[in-house]
Amino acid sequence: NAGVTQTPKFQVLKTGQSMTLQCAQDMNHEYMSWYRQDPGMGLRLIHYSVGAGITDQGEVPNGYNVSRSTTEDFPLRLLSAAPSQTSVYFCASSYDISVNEKLFFGSGTQLSVL
Amino acid sequence: RKEVEQDPGPFNVPEGATVAFNCTYSNSASQSFFWYRQDCRKEPKLLMSVYSSGNEDGRFTAQLNRASQYISLLIRDSKLSDSATYLCVKNTGTASKLTFGTGTRLQVTL
């Protein structure tokens, strides 16, 4: 099992550009989520999904879209990148977060928006 | 008040020392708690869950005090490889409510 695979590892964008961060897991996890991590802020939830076809907003959803067409994939789209979106992004999955199953994280994407 | 608060550190300790971190939380409805470890520029990984009765995993002991709303992590006989940031996490049991603290950085030195 590869676990949670996140691509790309690094990305530089110009303000206003759009891009998609890819996330895939091969553990048949129902729960998938995206976090951003900023210095002094901790990990903050952007969007999450409890199964294919179901998504919901987290704490900081503005400027991001997600979709969940399959159990395996949960891409995060930046519609029009802004410098405030410079951050490290982590995708995470779990069998069932509501029963306290642990989160498995991808290796992260370092995004810089100029 | 933040939902989960941690002393950012760094805690600088010599190898072999015992070190303890606390994490305070708000919202008494919080159901369960965890410690995650994050190495520099890496993803977080689950270190251990925290149970009301306290639990131990080798050199690591976690405690939960619901009355005072804090959890603790004790590391005995610190190793150089324990150097990392330790994240306190609480889960209220709903899909979205996994809240991370900002982390406590530990540096173990020779």
Coordinates of all heavy atoms in Angstrom, one line a residue, chain A residues 14-100:
Chain A
K14 N 1.7 32.3 -9.6 CA 1.6 33.8 -9.6 C 0.1 34.1 -9.1 O -0.8 33.3 -9.3 CB 1.8 34.3 -11.0 CG 3.2 34.2 -11.5 CD 3.4 34.8 -12.8 CE 4.9 34.6 -13.3 NZ 5.1 35.2 -14.7
T15 N 0.0 35.2 -8.5 CA -1.4 35.6 -8.1 C -2.3 35.6 -9.3 O -2.1 36.0 -10.4 CB -1.3 37.1 -7.6 OG1 -0.5 37.1 -6.4 CG2 -2.7 37.6 -7.2
G16 N -3.5 34.9 -9.0 CA -4.5 34.8 -10.0 C -4.5 33.5 -10.8 O -5.5 33.1 -11.4
Q17 N -3.4 32.8 -10.7 CA -3.4 31.5 -11.4 C -4.2 30.4 -10.6 O -4.5 30.6 -9.4 CB -1.9 31.0 -11.5 CG -1.1 31.7 -12.5 CD 0.3 31.1 -12.6 OE1 1.0 30.8 -11.7 NE2 0.7 30.9 -13.9
S18 N -4.6 29.4 -11.3 CA -5.3 28.3 -10.7 C -4.5 27.1 -10.8 O -3.6 26.9 -11.6 CB -6.7 28.1 -11.3 OG -6.5 27.7 -12.7
M19 N -4.8 26.1 -9.8 CA -4.1 24.9 -9.9 C -4.9 23.9 -9.0 O -5.8 24.2 -8.2 CB -2.7 25.0 -9.4 CG -2.5 25.0 -7.9 SD -0.9 24.5 -7.4 CE -0.8 22.8 -7.9
T20 N -4.5 22.6 -9.2 CA -5.1 21.5 -8.5 C -4.1 20.7 -7.7 O -3.1 20.3 -8.4 CB -5.9 20.6 -9.4 OG1 -7.0 21.3 -10.0 CG2 -6.6 19.4 -8.6
L21 N -4.2 20.6 -6.4 CA -3.4 19.7 -5.7 C -4.1 18.3 -5.7 O -5.3 18.2 -5.4 CB -3.3 20.2 -4.2 CG -2.8 21.6 -4.0 CD1 -2.6 21.9 -2.5 CD2 -1.5 21.9 -4.8
Q22 N -3.3 17.3 -6.0 CA -3.9 15.9 -6.1 C -3.6 15.2 -4.8 O -2.6 15.3 -4.1 CB -3.2 15.2 -7.3 CG -3.4 15.8 -8.6 CD -4.8 15.8 -9.1 OE1 -5.7 15.1 -8.6 NE2 -5.1 16.6 -10.1
C23 N -4.6 14.3 -4.5 CA -4.5 13.5 -3.3 C -5.2 12.2 -3.6 O -6.3 12.2 -4.1 CB -5.2 14.1 -2.1 SG -5.1 13.0 -0.6
A24 N -4.5 11.1 -3.4 CA -5.1 9.7 -3.6 C -4.7 8.8 -2.4 O -3.6 8.9 -1.9 CB -4.6 9.2 -4.9
Q25 N -5.6 8.0 -2.1 CA -5.3 7.0 -1.0 C -5.8 5.6 -1.5 O -6.8 5.5 -2.2 CB -5.9 7.4 0.3 CG -7.4 7.7 0.3 CD -8.3 6.5 0.5 OE1 -7.8 5.4 0.9 NE2 -9.6 6.7 0.3
D26 N -5.0 4.6 -1.1 CA -5.3 3.2 -1.5 C -5.7 2.3 -0.3 O -5.5 1.1 -0.4 CB -4.1 2.6 -2.3 CG -2.9 2.5 -1.5 OD1 -2.9 3.0 -0.3 OD2 -1.8 2.1 -2.0
M27 N -6.2 2.9 0.7 CA -6.6 2.2 1.9 C -8.1 2.0 2.1 O -8.6 1.6 3.1 CB -6.0 2.9 3.1 CG -4.5 3.0 3.1 SD -3.8 4.0 4.5 CE -4.1 5.6 3.8
N28 N -8.8 2.4 1.0 CA -10.3 2.3 1.1 C -10.9 3.1 2.2 O -11.9 2.7 2.8 CB -10.8 0.9 1.1 CG -12.2 0.7 0.6 OD1 -12.6 1.4 -0.3 ND2 -12.9 -0.2 1.2
H29 N -10.3 4.3 2.5 CA -10.8 5.1 3.6 C -12.0 6.0 3.1 O -11.9 6.5 2.0 CB -9.7 6.1 4.0 CG -8.7 5.4 4.9 ND1 -7.5 6.0 5.3 CD2 -8.7 4.2 5.5 CE1 -6.8 5.2 6.1 NE2 -7.5 4.1 6.2
E30 N -13.0 6.0 3.9 CA -14.1 6.9 3.6 C -13.9 8.4 3.8 O -14.3 9.2 3.1 CB -15.4 6.4 4.4 CG -15.9 5.1 4.0 CD -16.5 5.0 2.6 OE1 -17.0 6.0 2.1 OE2 -16.4 4.0 2.0
Y31 N -13.1 8.7 4.9 CA -12.9 10.1 5.2 C -11.6 10.6 4.6 O -10.6 10.0 4.7 CB -12.8 10.2 6.8 CG -12.6 11.6 7.3 CD1 -13.7 12.5 7.5 CD2 -11.3 12.0 7.6 CE1 -13.4 13.7 8.0 CE2 -11.1 13.3 8.0 CZ -12.2 14.2 8.2 OH -12.0 15.4 8.7
M32 N -11.7 11.7 3.9 CA -10.6 12.4 3.4 C -10.7 13.9 3.7 O -11.8 14.4 3.8 CB -10.4 12.2 1.9 CG -10.1 10.7 1.6 SD -9.7 10.4 -0.2 CE -8.1 11.1 -0.3
S33 N -9.6 14.5 3.8 CA -9.6 15.9 4.2 C -8.4 16.7 3.7 O -7.3 16.0 3.4 CB -9.7 16.1 5.8 OG -8.6 15.3 6.4
W34 N -8.5 18.0 3.7 CA -7.3 18.8 3.4 C -7.1 19.8 4.5 O -8.1 20.4 5.0 CB -7.6 19.6 2.1 CG -7.3 18.9 0.8 CD1 -8.3 18.2 0.0 CD2 -6.1 18.7 0.2 NE1 -7.6 17.7 -1.0 CE2 -6.3 17.9 -0.9 CE3 -4.8 19.1 0.6 CZ2 -5.2 17.5 -1.8 CZ3 -3.7 18.7 -0.3 CH2 -4.0 17.9 -1.4
Y35 N -5.8 20.0 4.9 CA -5.4 20.9 5.9 C -4.4 21.8 5.3 O -3.7 21.5 4.4 CB -4.8 20.2 7.1 CG -5.7 19.4 8.0 CD1 -6.1 18.1 7.7 CD2 -6.3 20.0 9.1 CE1 -7.0 17.4 8.5 CE2 -7.1 19.3 10.0 CZ -7.5 18.0 9.6 OH -8.3 17.3 10.5
R36 N -4.3 23.0 5.9 CA -3.2 23.9 5.6 C -2.5 24.2 6.9 O -3.1 24.2 8.0 CB -3.6 25.2 4.9 CG -4.5 26.1 5.7 CD -4.8 27.4 4.9 NE -3.7 28.3 4.9 CZ -3.6 29.4 4.2 NH1 -4.6 29.8 3.4 NH2 -2.5 30.2 4.3
Q37 N -1.1 24.3 6.9 CA -0.4 24.5 8.1 C 0.5 25.8 7.9 O 1.3 25.8 7.0 CB 0.5 23.3 8.4 CG 1.3 23.4 9.7 CD 2.0 22.2 10.1 OE1 2.6 21.5 9.2 NE2 2.1 21.8 11.4
D38 N 0.2 26.7 8.8 CA 1.0 28.0 8.7 C 1.6 28.2 10.1 O 1.1 27.7 11.1 CB 0.0 29.1 8.5 CG -0.8 29.0 7.2 OD1 -0.1 29.1 6.1 OD2 -2.0 28.7 7.2
P39 N 2.8 28.9 10.1 CA 3.5 29.1 11.4 C 2.6 29.7 12.4 O 1.9 30.7 12.1 CB 4.7 30.0 10.9 CG 4.9 29.7 9.5 CD 3.5 29.4 8.9
G40 N 2.6 29.2 13.6 CA 1.9 29.7 14.7 C 0.3 29.5 14.6 O -0.4 30.0 15.5
M41 N -0.1 28.8 13.6 CA -1.6 28.6 13.4 C -2.0 27.2 13.6 O -3.2 26.9 13.7 CB -2.0 29.1 12.0 CG -1.7 30.6 11.7 SD -2.7 31.7 12.7 CE -4.3 31.4 12.0
G42 N -1.1 26.3 13.6 CA -1.5 24.9 13.6 C -2.1 24.4 12.3 O -2.3 25.2 11.4
L43 N -2.5 23.2 12.3 CA -3.2 22.7 11.1 C -4.7 23.1 11.1 O -5.4 22.9 12.1 CB -3.2 21.1 11.1 CG -1.8 20.5 10.7 CD1 -1.6 19.2 11.4 CD2 -1.8 20.3 9.2
R44 N -5.1 23.7 10.0 CA -6.5 24.1 9.9 C -7.2 23.4 8.8 O -6.7 23.3 7.7 CB -6.6 25.6 9.7 CG -6.1 26.4 10.9 CD -6.2 27.9 10.7 NE -5.3 28.4 9.6 CZ -5.3 29.6 9.1 NH1 -6.3 30.4 9.4 NH2 -4.4 29.9 8.1
L45 N -8.4 22.9 9.1 CA -9.2 22.1 8.1 C -9.8 23.0 7.0 O -10.5 24.0 7.3 CB -10.3 21.4 8.9 CG -11.1 20.4 8.0 CD1 -10.3 19.3 7.5 CD2 -12.3 19.9 8.9
I46 N -9.5 22.6 5.8 CA -10.1 23.4 4.6 C -11.4 22.8 4.2 O -12.4 23.5 4.2 CB -9.1 23.4 3.5 CG1 -7.7 23.9 3.9 CG2 -9.6 24.3 2.3 CD1 -6.6 23.8 2.9
H47 N -11.4 21.6 3.7 CA -12.5 20.9 3.3 C -12.4 19.4 3.7 O -11.3 18.9 3.9 CB -12.7 20.9 1.8 CG -13.2 22.2 1.2 ND1 -14.5 22.6 1.3 CD2 -12.6 23.2 0.6 CE1 -14.7 23.8 0.7 NE2 -13.5 24.2 0.3
Y48 N -13.5 18.7 3.8 CA -13.4 17.3 4.1 C -14.5 16.5 3.4 O -15.5 17.1 2.8 CB -13.5 17.0 5.6 CG -14.8 17.4 6.2 CD1 -15.8 16.4 6.5 CD2 -15.1 18.7 6.6 CE1 -17.0 16.7 7.1 CE2 -16.3 19.0 7.2 CZ -17.2 18.0 7.4 OH -18.4 18.3 8.0
S49 N -14.4 15.2 3.4 CA -15.4 14.4 2.7 C -15.5 13.1 3.5 O -14.5 12.5 3.9 CB -14.9 14.0 1.3 OG -15.7 13.0 0.7
V50 N -16.8 12.7 3.7 CA -17.0 11.4 4.4 C -17.4 10.3 3.5 O -17.7 9.2 4.0 CB -18.1 11.6 5.5 CG1 -17.7 12.6 6.5 CG2 -19.4 12.0 4.8
G51 N -17.2 10.5 2.2 CA -17.5 9.4 1.2 C -17.6 10.0 -0.2 O -17.8 11.2 -0.3
A52 N -17.6 9.1 -1.2 CA -17.7 9.6 -2.6 C -19.0 10.4 -2.7 O -20.1 9.9 -2.3 CB -17.6 8.4 -3.5
G53 N -18.9 11.5 -3.4 CA -20.1 12.3 -3.7 C -20.4 13.3 -2.5 O -21.4 14.1 -2.7
I54 N -19.7 13.2 -1.4 CA -20.1 14.0 -0.2 C -18.9 14.9 0.2 O -17.8 14.4 0.5 CB -20.5 13.2 1.0 CG1 -21.6 12.2 0.6 CG2 -20.9 14.0 2.2 CD1 -21.9 11.1 1.6
T55 N -19.1 16.2 0.2 CA -18.0 17.1 0.7 C -18.6 18.1 1.6 O -19.8 18.4 1.5 CB -17.2 17.8 -0.5 OG1 -18.1 18.6 -1.2 CG2 -16.6 16.8 -1.4
D56 N -17.8 18.7 2.4 CA -18.3 19.8 3.3 C -17.1 20.7 3.6 O -15.9 20.4 3.4 CB -18.9 19.2 4.6 CG -19.9 20.1 5.1 OD1 -20.0 21.3 4.8 OD2 -20.7 19.7 6.0
Q57 N -17.5 21.9 4.1 CA -16.5 22.9 4.4 C -15.9 22.7 5.8 O -16.6 22.3 6.7 CB -17.1 24.3 4.3 CG -17.6 24.7 2.9 CD -18.1 26.1 2.8 OE1 -18.4 26.7 3.9 NE2 -18.4 26.5 1.6
G58 N -14.6 23.0 5.9 CA -14.0 23.1 7.2 C -13.9 24.5 7.8 O -14.8 25.3 7.5
E59 N -12.8 24.7 8.4 CA -12.6 26.0 9.1 C -12.3 27.2 8.2 O -12.7 28.3 8.3 CB -11.5 25.8 10.2 CG -11.2 27.0 11.0 CD -10.0 26.8 11.9 OE1 -9.5 25.7 12.0 OE2 -9.6 27.8 12.6
V60 N -11.5 26.9 7.1 CA -11.0 27.9 6.2 C -11.2 27.5 4.7 O -10.3 27.3 4.0 CB -9.5 28.2 6.5 CG1 -9.3 28.9 7.8 CG2 -8.7 26.9 6.5
P61 N -12.5 27.5 4.3 CA -12.7 27.0 2.9 C -12.6 28.0 1.8 O -12.6 27.6 0.6 CB -14.2 26.5 3.0 CG -14.8 27.5 4.0 CD -13.7 27.7 5.0
N62 N -12.6 29.3 2.1 CA -12.7 30.3 1.1 C -11.5 30.3 0.1 O -10.3 30.2 0.6 CB -12.8 31.7 1.7 CG -14.1 31.9 2.4 OD1 -15.1 31.1 2.2 ND2 -14.2 32.8 3.3
G63 N -11.8 30.3 -1.2 CA -10.7 30.2 -2.2 C -10.4 28.8 -2.6 O -9.5 28.7 -3.5
Y64 N -11.0 27.8 -2.1 CA -10.7 26.4 -2.4 C -12.0 25.7 -2.8 O -13.0 25.9 -2.2 CB -10.1 25.7 -1.2 CG -8.9 26.4 -0.6 CD1 -9.0 27.2 0.5 CD2 -7.6 26.2 -1.1 CE1 -8.0 27.8 1.1 CE2 -6.5 26.8 -0.5 CZ -6.7 27.6 0.6 OH -5.6 28.2 1.2
N65 N -11.8 24.8 -3.7 CA -12.9 23.9 -4.1 C -12.4 22.4 -4.0 O -11.3 22.2 -4.3 CB -13.4 24.1 -5.5 CG -14.5 25.2 -5.6 OD1 -14.9 25.7 -4.5 ND2 -15.0 25.5 -6.8
V66 N -13.4 21.5 -3.7 CA -13.0 20.1 -3.7 C -14.1 19.3 -4.4 O -15.3 19.8 -4.5 CB -12.8 19.5 -2.3 CG1 -11.6 20.1 -1.6 CG2 -14.1 19.8 -1.4
S67 N -13.8 18.1 -4.8 CA -14.8 17.2 -5.3 C -14.4 15.8 -4.8 O -13.2 15.5 -4.6 CB -15.0 17.3 -6.8 OG -13.7 17.0 -7.4
R68 N -15.3 14.8 -4.8 CA -15.0 13.5 -4.4 C -15.8 12.5 -5.3 O -16.9 12.1 -4.9 CB -15.3 13.2 -2.9 CG -14.9 11.9 -2.4 CD -13.5 11.9 -1.8 NE -13.1 10.6 -1.3 CZ -13.4 10.1 -0.1 NH1 -14.1 10.9 0.8 NH2 -12.9 8.9 0.3
S69 N -15.3 12.3 -6.5 CA -16.0 11.5 -7.5 C -15.7 10.0 -7.2 O -16.5 9.1 -7.6 CB -15.6 11.8 -8.9 OG -14.2 11.7 -9.1
T70 N -14.6 9.7 -6.6 CA -14.3 8.3 -6.2 C -13.8 8.2 -4.8 O -13.5 9.2 -4.2 CB -13.1 7.7 -7.1 OG1 -11.9 8.4 -6.8 CG2 -13.4 7.9 -8.6
T71 N -13.8 7.0 -4.2 CA -13.3 6.9 -2.8 C -11.8 7.2 -2.7 O -11.4 7.7 -1.7 CB -13.5 5.4 -2.4 OG1 -14.9 5.1 -2.4 CG2 -13.0 5.2 -0.9
E72 N -11.1 6.9 -3.8 CA -9.6 7.1 -3.7 C -9.1 8.5 -3.8 O -8.1 8.8 -3.3 CB -9.0 6.3 -4.9 CG -9.2 4.7 -4.7 CD -10.6 4.3 -5.2 OE1 -11.3 5.0 -5.9 OE2 -11.0 3.2 -4.7
D73 N -9.8 9.4 -4.6 CA -9.2 10.7 -4.9 C -10.0 11.8 -4.3 O -11.2 11.8 -4.3 CB -9.2 10.8 -6.5 CG -8.4 9.7 -7.1 OD1 -7.2 9.7 -6.9 OD2 -9.0 8.9 -7.9
F74 N -9.2 12.8 -3.9 CA -9.8 14.0 -3.3 C -9.0 15.2 -3.7 O -8.2 15.7 -2.9 CB -9.9 13.8 -1.8 CG -10.7 14.9 -1.1 CD1 -12.0 15.2 -1.5 CD2 -10.3 15.4 0.1 CE1 -12.8 16.1 -0.8 CE2 -11.0 16.3 0.8 CZ -12.3 16.7 0.3
P75 N -9.1 15.8 -4.9 CA -8.3 16.9 -5.3 C -8.8 18.2 -4.7 O -10.0 18.4 -4.4 CB -8.5 16.9 -6.8 CG -9.9 16.3 -7.0 CD -10.0 15.2 -5.9
L76 N -7.8 19.1 -4.5 CA -8.1 20.4 -3.9 C -7.8 21.4 -5.0 O -6.6 21.5 -5.5 CB -7.2 20.7 -2.7 CG -7.4 22.1 -2.1 CD1 -8.7 22.2 -1.3 CD2 -6.2 22.3 -1.1
R77 N -8.7 22.3 -5.4 CA -8.5 23.3 -6.4 C -8.4 24.7 -5.8 O -9.3 25.1 -5.0 CB -9.7 23.2 -7.4 CG -9.5 22.1 -8.4 CD -10.7 22.1 -9.4 NE -11.9 21.7 -8.8 CZ -12.3 20.4 -8.6 NH1 -11.5 19.4 -9.0 NH2 -13.4 20.1 -8.1
L78 N -7.4 25.4 -6.3 CA -7.3 26.8 -5.9 C -7.8 27.5 -7.2 O -7.2 27.4 -8.3 CB -5.8 27.2 -5.7 CG -5.3 26.9 -4.3 CD1 -5.1 25.4 -4.1 CD2 -4.0 27.6 -4.0
L79 N -8.8 28.3 -7.0 CA -9.5 28.9 -8.1 C -8.7 30.1 -8.7 O -8.6 30.3 -9.9 CB -10.9 29.4 -7.7 CG -11.7 28.3 -7.0 CD1 -13.0 28.8 -6.4 CD2 -12.0 27.1 -8.0
S80 N -8.2 31.0 -7.8 CA -7.5 32.2 -8.2 C -6.5 32.5 -7.1 O -6.9 33.1 -6.1 CB -8.4 33.4 -8.4 OG -7.7 34.5 -8.7
A81 N -5.3 32.0 -7.2 CA -4.3 32.0 -6.1 C -4.1 33.4 -5.6 O -3.9 34.3 -6.4 CB -3.1 31.3 -6.5
A82 N -3.9 33.5 -4.3 CA -3.6 34.7 -3.6 C -2.4 34.5 -2.7 O -2.2 33.3 -2.2 CB -4.8 35.2 -2.8
P83 N -1.6 35.5 -2.4 CA -0.4 35.3 -1.5 C -0.8 34.8 -0.2 O 0.0 34.0 0.4 CB 0.1 36.8 -1.4 CG -0.2 37.4 -2.7 CD -1.6 36.9 -3.1
S84 N -2.0 35.0 0.3 CA -2.5 34.5 1.6 C -2.6 33.0 1.6 O -2.8 32.3 2.6 CB -3.8 35.1 2.0 OG -4.8 34.8 1.0
Q85 N -2.6 32.4 0.4 CA -2.7 30.9 0.3 C -1.3 30.2 0.3 O -1.2 29.0 0.1 CB -3.5 30.5 -1.0 CG -4.9 30.9 -0.9 CD -5.7 30.6 -2.1 OE1 -5.4 31.0 -3.2 NE2 -6.8 29.9 -1.9
T86 N -0.3 31.0 0.4 CA 1.1 30.5 0.6 C 1.1 29.7 1.9 O 0.8 30.2 3.0 CB 2.1 31.6 0.6 OG1 2.2 32.2 -0.6 CG2 3.5 31.0 1.0
S87 N 1.4 28.4 1.8 CA 1.2 27.5 3.0 C 1.8 26.2 2.6 O 2.2 25.9 1.5 CB -0.2 27.5 3.4 OG -0.4 26.8 4.6
V88 N 1.8 25.3 3.6 CA 2.0 23.9 3.4 C 0.6 23.2 3.5 O -0.1 23.4 4.5 CB 3.0 23.3 4.4 CG1 3.2 21.8 4.2 CG2 4.3 24.0 4.4
Y89 N 0.3 22.4 2.5 CA -1.0 21.7 2.5 C -0.8 20.2 2.7 O 0.1 19.6 2.1 CB -1.6 22.0 1.1 CG -2.0 23.4 0.9 CD1 -1.1 24.3 0.5 CD2 -3.3 23.8 1.2 CE1 -1.5 25.7 0.3 CE2 -3.7 25.1 1.1 CZ -2.8 26.0 0.6 OH -3.2 27.3 0.5
F90 N -1.6 19.7 3.5 CA -1.6 18.2 3.8 C -3.0 17.6 3.5 O -4.0 18.2 3.9 CB -1.3 17.9 5.3 CG 0.1 18.2 5.6 CD1 0.5 19.4 6.3 CD2 1.1 17.3 5.3 CE1 1.8 19.6 6.7 CE2 2.5 17.5 5.7 CZ 2.8 18.7 6.3
C91 N -2.9 16.5 2.8 CA -4.1 15.7 2.6 C -4.1 14.6 3.7 O -3.0 14.1 4.0 CB -4.1 15.1 1.2 SG -5.5 14.0 0.9
A92 N -5.2 14.2 4.2 CA -5.3 13.2 5.2 C -6.5 12.3 5.0 O -7.5 12.8 4.5 CB -5.3 13.8 6.6
S93 N -6.4 11.1 5.4 CA -7.5 10.2 5.3 C -7.6 9.3 6.5 O -6.7 9.1 7.3 CB -7.4 9.3 4.0 OG -6.4 8.3 4.2
S94 N -8.8 8.8 6.7 CA -9.1 7.9 7.8 C -10.2 7.0 7.5 O -11.1 7.3 6.7 CB -9.5 8.7 9.1 OG -9.8 7.9 10.2
Y95 N -10.2 5.8 8.1 CA -11.3 4.9 7.9 C -12.6 5.5 8.4 O -13.6 5.5 7.6 CB -11.1 3.5 8.6 CG -12.2 2.6 8.4 CD1 -12.4 2.0 7.2 CD2 -13.0 2.2 9.5 CE1 -13.5 1.1 7.0 CE2 -14.1 1.4 9.3 CZ -14.3 0.8 8.1 OH -15.3 -0.1 7.9
D96 N -12.6 6.0 9.6 CA -13.9 6.6 10.1 C -13.5 7.6 11.2 O -13.3 7.1 12.4 CB -14.8 5.5 10.6 CG -16.2 6.1 11.0 OD1 -16.3 7.4 11.2 OD2 -17.1 5.3 11.2
I97 N -13.4 8.8 10.9 CA -12.9 9.8 11.9 C -13.8 9.9 13.1 O -13.4 10.2 14.2 CB -12.6 11.2 11.3 CG1 -11.7 12.0 12.1 CG2 -13.9 11.9 11.1 CD1 -10.2 11.5 12.0
S98 N -15.1 9.6 12.9 CA -16.1 9.8 14.0 C -15.9 8.8 15.1 O -16.4 8.9 16.2 CB -17.5 9.7 13.5 OG -17.8 8.4 13.0
V99 N -15.2 7.7 14.8 CA -14.9 6.7 15.9 C -13.4 6.7 16.2 O -12.9 5.7 16.7 CB -15.4 5.3 15.5 CG1 -16.9 5.2 15.4 CG2 -14.7 4.8 14.2
N100 N -12.8 7.8 15.9 CA -11.4 8.1 16.4 C -10.4 7.2 15.8 O -9.3 7.0 16.4 CB -11.3 7.9 17.9 CG -12.3 8.9 18.6 OD1 -12.4 10.1 18.2 ND2 -13.0 8.4 19.6

